[in-house]
Amino acid sequence: MQPEPPARISLPLILFAIVAVVAVNLGALAAADAVLPFGRLADPDAYLRLDRVLELRLGGGWYDDVTMAVMAPEGLALHWTRPLDVLILLPARLLEWLGGLQPRQAIFLAGIFVSPVLHLLAAIAAAWAARGLWPGKAPWYAVLLMIATPTATLYCTAGRADHHALMLLTLALGLGAAIRALAPGGAAGAAAGAGLAFGAGIWVSPEVLLAAAPVLLTTGLAVIMAADGRALALQGLRMGLGIAAATVVAIVVERPPTGWLAVDYDRVSVHHLVLALLITAVFLVAARVGGWPRGRRLLVCGAAAGVAFAALLGLFPNALLASLGQADAASRSVMLPNVQEMQPLPPFASGGLGTTLSTIGGPPVIALVAVLLAAPGWRRDGRWPAGLAVAAMLVATLIAAFAARRFALDLAVPAAVAGAGMVGLLLAAPRPRGEVPRALLAAGLLFGLLGLPLLSLLGASPVAQVRLPERQAHAAGCDGTAMARWLGEARPGVIAGEKPPILMASNIFIGPEIAWRAPYRTVTGPYHRGGAAFADTLAAFEATDPLAARAVLHRREVSLLLFCAATPEIVVPPGSLAALLRDGEAPAWLRPVPLPEALSGFRLFAVQ
């Protein structure tokens, strides 16, 4: 089935997307573990992001990527880039001007809503991408599937001031443009647009390469498989140039001239520019030999790709590690293995079917069905390169999601775009005979598969897995938000005119919120570049020699020590400092700081 020629998205479809996003966020607000009704943001990243934006608003340097909020005393070099910061700061400035809000209030409010707005735009972009691949009502189904993907919705609800929704938007735009570029007679501008969108995604987060790379790889395969691959090779060349152009802009905007040649694997850098140029070079070779016999074409293109791959690894040995290439040793060995979103999905890890279904949901299954049904038609009408690109992105991100749960976010885009065609394919199928049986089959499969996450009752949901320790701590009197607010009011140890004191907390997730709400620097947080601070936190609390613990605190210049005795977030070895704090036997060099009854689960000490 050929897609309909018009590429415009109608106003009713946009209104449908708005209603869907609003409904999802209202549902999240009504959930038992909702955070916004209690004045909390969703996670530590949101607080640290807003702290970074506030620093910029109050006169911080554009190129300053070190935050003093965590990993005190030296600070943490963030891998985040500025696009999302600007998307938070601009509406915040408008709120200051129109509403008379203070910068902190305006930034907090803008941060609450930035992800739902970007999620809405990503859903509309997915509808536009689906319109280039499928006929009929497919764009409406694309919106529904984008909203119905559990992990995407989790990462994009109100209160998550993070770049995940912006990643989805760039991926949807890139895939939609690539579909149009790889269709018969695809426009050159579509290929360049795909490259620019993928390059913008790399600017937001290099994780986008996980989904963009399969599109480029299958474009190269299509060059070899086609009767004449020269036109496809030129489209791949334009994609590579688009990525390179966007990357150049990103490097110039993000880094001072002295840092243009710096290499970072978890942040846009010259490494990604070289990668784009190598991709462009391979497609340039492919364009020269695209008319040769397939055997010779395969040998030359394969050799060019092999040389480019060897050159990439020769120049950047950790390129295949992606963001992990920038993680320090302590993060790789101690922290990241215990972060839930970095764990594999069952059956490759502990947990049941419900855990898997509640993470990836039904859209990937719908998408796989659609791809299998559409493949013969794509082959007949010449749209198989575009179909191959969509299928490759779908399979690659599905495999990645089973390897690490966080990548189920990237899976949302190809699942929505590919799955949008299932209903139309079933309605046009020769069997079962009769329109009514086919309509019932299509509706049953669509809504039945969308309901798969309901089976998560058989296991823990991703929300529960992420927030369960915090919910238990809150119930036991260790509410991190309440503690951060009290610290902001009482300010123990704060001396006017001096640097903010440093606080070490046993819970690595509450440090960024404390730094946002109170005038303190904190030692640790869940960041892959901050593994040394995390290791020091464990070393202090788990030390069985109080003097060894005191040495760590002295080296970190810690003034306050915070521990949740009711539900410790860390292992408490017998005789350790954590055990002494839990049992009320703190060393003499720790002076207890009185806390209100509502914070009775905590123990707060001033380090003498």
Side-chain angles (χ1 to χ4, degrees):
M1 294 186 298
Q2 289 282 1
E4 296 178 357
R8 287 185 291 178
I9 298 299
S10 64
L11 178 61
L13 178 62
I14 295 174
L15 294 176
F16 171 66
I18 292 173
V19 169
V21 170
V22 170
V24 164
N25 281 274
L26 289 177
L29 290 176
D33 61 349
V35 292
L36 278 182
F38 302 99
R40 301 186 183 103
L41 296 180
D43 60 11
D45 286 359
Y47 288 107
L48 194 60
R49 173 73 70 171
L50 296 191
D51 194 81
R52 166 180 163 92
V53 175
L54 181 61
E55 287 181 5
L56 182 63
R57 167 65 182 86
L58 298 180
W62 175 264
Y63 297 120
D64 187 4
D65 60 357
V66 176
T67 176
M68 305 308 297
V70 294
M71 205 173 173
E74 66 269 25
L76 175 67
L78 290 170
H79 63 288
W80 296 338
T81 50
R82 289 297 187 187
L84 183 66
D85 296 351
V86 172
L87 292 177
I88 294 173
L89 186 56
L90 290 180
R93 293 301 301 267
L94 189 62
L95 288 170
E96 290 182 46
W97 181 56
L98 294 177
L101 300 180
Q102 294 298 313
R104 178 180 291 272
Q105 296 171 316
I107 289 171
F108 191 86
L109 190 59
I112 286 175
F113 294 108
V114 66
S115 285
V117 171
L118 290 171
H119 193 199
L120 169 65
L121 295 176
I124 296 172
W128 172 76
R131 195 167 184 84
L133 190 66
W134 307 109
K137 302 297 183 182
W140 294 74
Y141 299 122
V143 170
L144 182 62
L145 293 176
M146 179 66 86
I147 304 300
T149 301
T151 301
T153 299
L154 171 67
Y155 277 109
C156 298
T157 49
R160 288 188 177 272
D162 211 342
H163 56 226
H164 299 108
L166 187 54
M167 289 168 51
L168 289 180
L169 175 58
T170 60
L171 281 175
L173 291 172
L175 182 58
I179 288 170
R180 288 161 172 80
L182 299 177
L196 289 172
F198 288 142
I202 294 170
W203 184 354
V204 175
S205 171
E207 184 182 315
V208 163
L209 279 170
L210 175 70
V215 174
L216 296 164
L217 178 61
T218 51
T219 301
L221 291 176
V223 171
I224 296 170
M225 296 166 60
D228 187 336
R230 284 174 290 188
L232 289 170
L234 288 174
Q235 294 295 66
L237 175 67
R238 294 176 181 115
M239 289 186 200
L241 288 174
I243 295 174
T247 306
V248 168
V249 172
I251 292 173
V252 171
V253 170
E254 289 289 336
R255 298 174 180 273
T258 55
W260 286 352
L261 297 181
V263 177
D264 286 318
Y265 296 103
D266 58 352
R267 182 175 179 231
V268 64
S269 71
V270 68
H271 154 58
H272 302 100
L273 175 59
V274 171
L275 173 62
L277 293 176
L278 289 173
I279 291 170
T280 303
V282 172
F283 278 114
L284 181 61
V285 172
R288 297 292 299 272
V289 303
W292 290 8
R294 288 190 180 92
R296 293 174 59 193
R297 201 186 312 170
L298 173 62
L299 288 175
V300 174
C301 293
V307 170
F309 185 68
L312 180 68
L313 293 185
L315 292 170
F316 311 104
N318 290 332
L320 296 183
L321 293 177
S323 293
L324 291 180
Q326 215 67 38
D328 54 36
S331 290
R332 289 195 296 266
S333 61
V334 181
M335 185 178 71
L336 292 178
N338 293 298
V339 175
Q340 191 65 40
E341 67 175 8
M342 298 300 295
Q343 304 310 305
L345 281 172
F348 305 105
S350 60
L353 178 63
T355 299
T356 300
L357 295 179
S358 65
T359 302
I360 65 173
V365 183
I366 297 172
L368 289 171
V369 172
V371 167
L372 292 175
L373 291 175
W378 288 339
R379 185 176 181 182
R380 288 192 300 269
D381 62 26
R383 290 186 301 123
W384 60 268
L388 188 63
V390 174
M393 183 188 283
L394 174 65
V395 172
T397 52
L398 182 60
I399 292 172
F402 274 91
R405 303 176 192 199
R406 66 169 289 123
F407 297 131
L409 172 81
D410 307 82
L411 173 62
V413 170
V417 174
M422 187 195 73
V423 171
L425 290 167
L426 290 175
L427 291 177
R431 286 184 175 78
R433 294 183 178 180
E435 293 182 0
V436 173
R438 291 198 298 271
L440 291 175
L441 175 62
L445 277 176
L446 177 68
F447 293 107
L449 292 174
L450 288 180
L452 283 179
L454 296 177
L455 297 178
S456 64
L457 297 175
L458 301 175
S461 72
V463 177
Q465 290 162 353
V466 172
R467 300 201 58 80
L468 182 58
E470 296 180 37
R471 290 207 309 271
Q472 288 177 339
H474 293 168
C478 286
D479 186 329
T481 298
M483 171 55 74
R485 286 174 173 160
W486 180 84
L487 287 169
E489 296 169 359
R491 303 190 172 200
V494 175
I495 301 175
E498 294 190 5
K499 283 186 177 181
I502 295 176
L503 180 148
M504 177 184 283
S506 58
N507 184 345
I508 69 169
F509 294 100
I510 66 175
E513 183 172 4
I514 290 174
W516 167 258
R517 296 186 184 275
Y520 296 93
R521 294 171 288 163
T522 57
V523 172
T524 191
Y527 303 105
H528 66 271
R529 289 188 175 194
F534 178 71
D536 279 349
T537 300
L538 291 182
F541 282 102
E542 295 180 0
T544 54
D545 179 0
L547 293 180
R550 188 177 186 180
V552 174
L553 300 180
H554 176 73
R555 176 161 47 82
R556 285 280 170 188
E557 302 177 19
V558 174
S559 300
L560 291 173
L561 194 66
L562 180 64
F563 178 70
C564 177
T567 54
E569 305 87 356
I570 58 175
V571 176
V572 182
S576 64
L577 177 63
L580 296 177
L581 301 181
R582 179 196 59 196
D583 299 335
E585 301 174 357
W589 45 270
L590 289 178
R591 177 176 58 81
V593 177
L595 295 173
E597 182 63 27
L599 301 174
S600 59
F602 281 114
R603 302 288 184 270
L604 181 64
F605 300 89
V607 181
Q608 301 297 314

